[in-house]
Amino acid sequence: MKTELAIPSDLKFLVVVEGWLLSSLKAELGNTVGLDWQKTENRLRLVIVEVYSNVVRHAHQDRPEIPVVLRLGLEGSFLSLKVWDEGDGFDLRDYTAPSPSNPQEGGYGWLILHQLMDRVDYQLRGGDGRNCLTLEKDLGLMVDYAKKVET
C-alpha cells in the first residue's frame, strides 16, 4: 500500500495529518492489528505530530501556502513514511543531542524520532530542491502476534 498527502503548512491541519496516517494504516492492516495497536498508534501519533509541526514552525516558518508532502508506504508489516519540505533545512553535523547534564531548548524531537522509529534519515536538498525525512518502522511483532491470536 502506498498513499500520499499534500497539505498546507498550517497547524490547523494537524488533525487531518494524524487521521490520514492512522486511518490509512488501519484500513490496510484491518483485523491483523494486535493487542499492542493502541501503544503503536500512540507512538506513531507522536512521531507524525513532531514531524509535521516542525515542518510548519521551522522549515516553512508559518507559510501555509507551501505544502508539506507526506508519503506512507506499507509492505507487509514494514512502514515507511517520507516527508518533504521546502525549508532551508538543517545540517545534522550541528545537532547536539539533549542530555540530563546538558539541558537545552531544542533537539528533543530528533531524539524522540530515533527512539520510536527503526530508521531515521534526513536528506538536505535532494535533486528536486526539497528536503526529505524518511522514517521506517517494522510493525512485524505487532502484526505477527495478532495473527497468532486469531488462529
Side-chain angles (χ1 to χ4, degrees):
M1 178 268 300
K2 288 186 182 176
T3 182
E4 190 170 296
L5 176 68
I7 193 156
S9 298
D10 190 321
L11 289 178
K12 70 183 177 188
F13 290 101
L14 182 57
V15 69
V16 175
V17 173
E18 282 182 67
W20 166 79
L21 174 69
L22 299 173
S23 296
S24 297
L25 289 171
K26 282 183 182 177
E28 185 65 19
L29 292 172
N31 293 330
T32 64
V33 295
L35 301 175
D36 254 3
W37 177 248
Q38 187 65 43
K39 182 177 178 181
T40 301
E41 186 179 77
N42 288 337
R43 289 178 175 183
L44 293 174
R45 180 176 281 117
L46 178 57
V47 165
I48 199 68
V49 166
E50 181 63 34
V51 169
Y52 180 74
S53 63
N54 275 348
V55 170
V56 170
R57 290 183 293 112
H58 301 294
H60 293 170
Q61 300 174 0
D62 296 318
R63 292 177 290 166
E65 71 278 4
I66 302 174
V68 180
V69 178
L70 304 107
R71 181 178 299 147
L72 173 64
L74 188 66
E75 289 190 32
S77 65
F78 186 76
L79 174 141
S80 173
L81 179 65
K82 291 185 180 242
V83 182
W84 287 274
D85 73 70
E86 297 179 30
D88 291 335
F90 62 94
D91 189 339
L92 290 173
R93 294 174 294 190
D94 295 335
Y95 174 72
T96 303
S99 70
S101 62
N102 182 27
Q104 59 192 51
E105 189 172 319
Y108 293 92
W110 194 247
L111 187 64
I112 289 169
L113 295 180
H114 280 276
Q115 291 293 318
L116 298 180
M117 303 302 286
D118 296 333
R119 180 175 169 264
V120 179
D121 182 57
Y122 180 72
Q123 296 295 316
L124 184 61
R125 294 285 175 214
D128 61 0
R130 300 181 296 174
N131 306 306
C132 181
L133 174 66
T134 301
L135 304 165
E136 296 176 346
K137 181 77 176 167
D138 185 356
L139 305 174
L141 295 174
M142 176 198 61
V143 173
D144 290 343
Y145 178 76
K147 288 179 184 174
K148 289 178 186 174
V149 169
E150 289 179 352
T151 57

